[in-house]
Amino acid sequence: MTDREPPAWLWLKERLARLRQSTTPGRAGTEPAPAVVRTAVVTDSAAALPAEWVKAFVADGRLAVVPMPVMVGEEIYGEGEDDITQTLALALAAGSSVKTSRPSPGQFEQAYLAARDRGFEAVVSIHISAGLSGTADSARMAAQRVSIPVEVIDSRTVGMALGMGVQSALVAAADGRSAAEVRHFAEERLSRTKVYFYVPSLEQLRRGGRIGTAASWLGAMLSIKPILAVDDGKIVPLEKVRSAAKAVARLEEIVAADVNSRPAGQSRLAVHHFGNLAEAERLAARLGENCRGCPPAQISTLPAVLAAHAGLGVLAVVVGESSTPGAGTLLSGTAGATTDQANTMRSKP
């Protein structure tokens, strides 16, 4: 199934299409040319951005996604470069060795230099939580080696929660904001995201060092089905449920309560799965019924670098808020942004 893309992101696609048209020699436009985008955005494959969405922005250098390596047995795969979903699923089912690593500083250096060579003046580089990976450290090392200014952000989250921050950064960049403003807008949106998830087994999280041995053993002995969250950059337990069906139902209740506590119509949802698409579709459908004013959830396979730790059967739900400008500019018309936040961004150089 193709990843579902929230309709609101058509604004960004249309704006960047006009930017490309305005810079095409000999093309006369009837509309005023939008602000020139001078800030590029870099992230890693843990952002879980839809593949078709990525293609639209990678082509002209506005976005770069650095692949995160996954080792299955003795083979190393680069997510986004290799199709490893089936290989990883078989390895997880068989209990084979699966490991992950951070990208090298050299990979980020190449991405930053490519942005510079395309004429960008700065880069905002947004990455998986430092509490789960050393990726942001690699990005910082690379930033010190290049002449183009680079703002590195530890998103303190994963999956489409990170992806929403990346999309927000592109919205700000498309509006002609400075790198400092792009960073501010991305961080503000990241702070409003939450990740809730259910895993049938804690074993893969234990193997990857994301939870302790005692917690994994206790879960297996008591047949506990945990509901977890990403909080302050780390995986934390929320609730312990006795059956898979009850765990998924409770996950749905937690998400609906979160969405319904936010301003009506502002929430966005993403549902991740690995090896259980039908279950994810059913969950997304129920969330659509129970979450007030929320557009249909984007459904996507969990990135391999995350699935390697979560295991087969994971269901994750990301709750975020819209980042799409309305009738005005990004600062005056951004859905969900307050006047104080807009003034803060205007006051930056």
Side-chain angles (χ1 to χ4, degrees):
M1 176 179 176
T2 303
D3 292 340
R4 296 178 184 172
E5 178 180 327
W9 289 106
L10 291 174
W11 179 91
L12 181 55
K13 282 190 172 182
E14 290 170 357
R15 185 175 185 84
L16 293 183
R18 293 198 301 273
L19 280 170
R20 284 190 285 269
Q21 292 169 3
S22 70
T23 57
T24 301
R27 187 179 181 94
T30 58
E31 298 182 25
V36 175
V37 178
R38 300 190 183 278
T39 302
V41 179
V42 174
T43 188
D44 54 71
S45 54
L49 292 165
E52 292 303 315
W53 195 95
V54 169
K55 289 179 184 178
F57 305 118
V58 167
D60 57 6
R62 302 178 198 279
L63 172 68
V65 181
V66 175
M68 297 188 69
V70 178
M71 178 179 287
V72 179
E74 298 299 320
E75 295 293 325
I76 299 178
Y77 300 87
E79 183 153 34
E81 298 176 327
D82 304 307
D83 184 7
I84 62 173
T85 302
Q86 185 174 4
T87 300
L88 177 59
L90 291 173
L92 291 171
S96 301
S97 173
V98 177
K99 298 179 181 179
T100 62
S101 181
R102 65 183 183 179
S104 69
Q107 290 174 276
F108 288 112
E109 186 174 353
Q110 290 176 7
Y112 301 154
L113 292 176
R116 183 201 63 185
D117 293 345
R118 282 180 175 265
F120 291 94
E121 297 176 353
V123 174
V124 173
S125 200
I126 313 172
H127 300 291
I128 181 175
S129 171
L132 301 173
S133 169
T135 299
D137 287 338
S138 287
R140 291 188 184 97
M141 284 187 274
Q144 295 174 357
R145 301 177 183 175
V146 296
S147 57
I148 185 171
V150 179
E151 298 267 356
V152 178
I153 300 175
D154 169 9
S155 72
R156 308 190 73 77
T157 192
V158 294
M160 264 305 295
L162 164 57
M164 289 177 184
V166 173
Q167 291 175 323
S168 297
L170 281 165
V171 166
D175 207 60
R177 301 298 102 191
S178 68
E181 291 172 319
V182 171
R183 174 174 188 151
H184 175 90
F185 191 54
E187 289 181 328
E188 193 274 336
R189 281 297 179 261
L190 284 166
S191 71
R192 297 187 184 196
T193 63
K194 292 292 291 185
V195 181
Y196 307 100
F197 64 108
Y198 152 74
V199 290
S201 169
L202 291 167
E203 179 59 19
Q204 282 301 125
L205 288 170
R206 182 197 66 78
R207 288 186 181 185
R210 269 56 183 184
I211 62 169
T213 302
S216 175
W217 178 84
L218 183 63
M221 290 296 293
L222 300 180
S223 299
I224 289 173
K225 303 300 180 183
I227 299 175
L228 307 156
V230 177
D231 184 43
D232 196 26
K234 297 180 180 179
I235 295 173
V236 298
L238 282 185
E239 295 185 10
K240 299 174 183 178
V241 186
R242 289 288 188 173
S243 73
K246 289 180 179 179
V248 175
R250 183 60 184 139
L251 175 63
E252 180 184 332
E253 291 173 355
I254 291 170
V255 171
D258 184 332
V259 170
N260 293 331
S261 70
R262 299 174 187 239
Q266 292 302 306
S267 296
R268 295 172 52 207
L269 294 176
V271 176
H272 292 310
H273 63 90
F274 196 76
N276 51 335
L277 172 59
E279 191 175 18
E281 289 179 328
R282 290 192 293 270
L283 173 60
R286 291 194 300 271
L287 289 172
E289 296 171 357
N290 297 325
C291 295
R292 182 181 68 245
C294 193
Q298 174 190 304
I299 302 175
S300 60
T301 303
L302 196 69
V305 70
L306 303 181
H309 297 290
L312 288 168
V314 58
L315 283 174
V317 183
V318 176
V319 184
E321 295 186 12
S322 175
S323 306
T324 306
T329 66
L330 173 68
L331 299 183
S332 63
T334 301
T338 66
T339 301
D340 288 343
Q341 290 160 353
N343 289 338
T344 298
M345 290 180 70
R346 285 195 188 96
S347 68
K348 290 181 177 288

